[in-house]
Amino acid sequence: LPAQVKSASQYVSDTVLDYGAISNGKLEAEVVYIDPDDKEGKEEARRFKVKPLRLDQRTSTKASLQLAYLGVSFQYGGKIEPLPPTSALSSNDLEYQLSSTIRRMIRKKKPKIGFTTGHGEATLARGLANAKRYLKDYDVVSVDLKEGKKPIPADVEVLIIVGPRQRFAEKAKYELNKFLMAGKAIALFVDGMTLETPRGQFQGRQPPRIGRANNTGLEAMLRYWGVKVNADIVMDPQNRPLPLVAGSGRAVLVNYPAFPVVTDFSRKSPITKKLRQALLVFPSSVSLTAEAKADKQLTGEVLARSTANSWTHTGIFIFDPMRVPKPQKPGRGPFDLGVLLKGSFRSFFAGRAVPK
């Protein structure tokens, strides 16, 4: 086998045996070597759902193709679950894959994650269709917060709000506040500005998209908790060419600064420490308030930043793919694009009546 695969095989074997050694007898670990040409060996691999990998070997004089069985599979309670084939060859997240698979198999009930609906958000039916596939360790559900008519289910542990476009009613904000006061987590992906297409006739031309402040009604509550989402668009010369529809209706490849490629992440937070880059679309800057920084009950951390050459656009914004914005005040960055706050929060509705 190639040296790289031999090394990966040894690493996987050692890690699996380590898990068995420190489990106090709760996990039986076994490393099995099989001959890909042996009928019984192949049947054993098939039973444990380990699929063969095709390995290309090339030298200056020849090229060859080999089959190798390199994988990890768990058996528990009559179920067999293999790790994805790429995990067996990667040292980046092998321990995470091993631990999360064990936890998933022995858990009687998956933790529940809720995605909100009712305010123009991206939903599990539209925009977040892959969420359930990627969050397979969790029970992923929709939570209707429109007008706050229904309480957030008590068994939801994390609530995620993605791209709201409409104002939250006071009762809906009360439900969010109650959820956070119960010691649970909320993740918000909020635009400071939103782009809309104006109504009217444009005689065959691609209609412009005009940016405006995105008033979700959450602004005061977020500031009270220590976070401000700014009504701006972060522009960055570090971006990626994307196909955009021009006035003629044809797609053209454009380097547009409102689609920054972010590479500056917190290496301490488990949320971002393994991210290398992320492409954002019309992102807004976000900041921790002075009150949050001074509050000894809270800990704030910046998760992502734009580059030092970035700038922000405020006020009226007309999106035209063929007119690339120039820096208003170049070199004003970096700007914070994501923050994390944790600790003991104050209730936004303290001393106030429950909204009807």
Side-chain angles (χ1 to χ4, degrees), residues 24 66 88 93 119 129-130 137 164-165 188 200 217 242 263 293 320 345 350:
N24 294 323
Q66 285 184 304
D93 66 347
H119 304 89
N130 284 324
D137 291 344
R165 293 287 185 270
L188 296 113
L242 290 178
T263 53
K293 293 176 181 177
D320 183 348
F345 291 85

Side-chain angles (χ1 to χ4, degrees), residues 9 29 34 63 93 108 124 158-159 179 189 215 232 273 315 347 355:
S9 175
I34 67 168
D93 66 347
K108 293 180 180 178
L124 294 174
V158 178
L159 199 64
F179 186 82
F189 298 86
N215 298 316
D232 60 22
K273 70 179 183 180
S347 172

Side-chain angles (χ1 to χ4, degrees), residues 173-181 225 347-349:
K173 289 190 285 186
Y174 176 79
E175 290 297 327
L176 289 175
N177 184 81
K178 187 168 72 171
F179 186 82
L180 188 67
M181 292 304 105
W225 288 338
S347 172
F348 183 66
F349 285 89

Side-chain angles (χ1 to χ4, degrees), residues 56-82:
D56 284 312
Q57 291 202 80
R58 296 179 183 276
T59 65
S60 57
T61 56
K62 68 173 185 176
S64 63
L65 181 68
Q66 285 184 304
L67 286 182
Y69 289 87
L70 178 59
V72 180
S73 189
F74 290 92
Q75 185 176 25
Y76 179 79
K79 294 186 296 183
I80 291 176
E81 185 167 339

Side-chain angles (χ1 to χ4, degrees), residues 45-62:
R46 192 178 298 114
R47 186 167 72 87
F48 281 97
K49 301 180 182 179
V50 175
K51 297 179 179 178
L53 300 173
R54 294 180 178 275
L55 303 175
D56 284 312
Q57 291 202 80
R58 296 179 183 276
T59 65
S60 57
T61 56
K62 68 173 185 176

Side-chain angles (χ1 to χ4, degrees), residues 298-312:
L298 294 174
T299 302
E301 181 181 358
V302 176
L303 297 178
R305 289 188 179 93
S306 60
T307 71
N309 294 320
S310 59
W311 71 98
T312 56

Side-chain angles (χ1 to χ4, degrees), residues 146-328:
K146 189 172 180 61
E147 304 299 332
K149 292 178 180 177
K150 301 176 184 176
I152 299 169
D155 57 351
V156 171
E157 296 184 26
V158 178
L159 199 64
I160 304 178
I161 304 171
V162 183
R165 293 287 185 270
Q166 299 159 13
R167 288 185 69 84
F168 281 69
E170 286 297 299
K171 189 64 167 63
K173 289 190 285 186
Y174 176 79
E175 290 297 327
L176 289 175
N177 184 81
K178 187 168 72 171
F179 186 82
L180 188 67
M181 292 304 105
K184 298 182 178 183
I186 301 176
L188 296 113
F189 298 86
V190 182
D191 296 297
M193 292 184 72
T194 184
L195 269 67
E196 295 180 341
T197 302
R199 297 177 181 177
Q201 300 295 323
F202 293 92
Q203 299 179 348
R205 292 187 298 112
Q206 184 73 16
R209 300 185 71 194
I210 300 174
R212 63 162 179 84
N214 185 28
N215 298 316
T216 62
L218 298 174
E219 294 80 16
M221 188 163 71
L222 290 178
R223 280 198 300 271
Y224 185 83
W225 288 338
V227 179
K228 183 184 179 185
V229 179
N230 300 302
D232 60 22
I233 296 174
V234 176
M235 309 272 186
D236 202 320
Q238 180 174 281
N239 53 70
R240 183 180 299 163
L242 290 178
L244 303 176
V245 179
S248 61
R250 294 173 57 191
V252 292
L253 208 58
V254 180
N255 276 90
Y256 202 84
F259 305 145
V261 174
V262 182
T263 53
D264 185 358
F265 297 104
S266 166
R267 296 303 168 202
K268 295 179 181 178
S269 172
I271 298 172
T272 53
K273 70 179 183 180
K274 288 188 177 181
L275 284 177
R276 292 295 168 259
Q277 60 175 238
L279 174 66
L280 302 188
V281 178
F282 296 112
S284 298
S285 63
V286 63
S287 53
L288 297 170
T289 65
E291 292 80 6
K293 293 176 181 177
D295 191 340
K296 290 186 166 56
Q297 299 294 316
L298 294 174
T299 302
E301 181 181 358
V302 176
L303 297 178
R305 289 188 179 93
S306 60
T307 71
N309 294 320
S310 59
W311 71 98
T312 56
H313 181 100
T314 56
I316 296 175
F317 176 73
I318 300 176
F319 174 50
D320 183 348
M322 302 313 295
R323 294 184 180 179
V324 178
K326 302 297 181 187
Q328 295 174 339

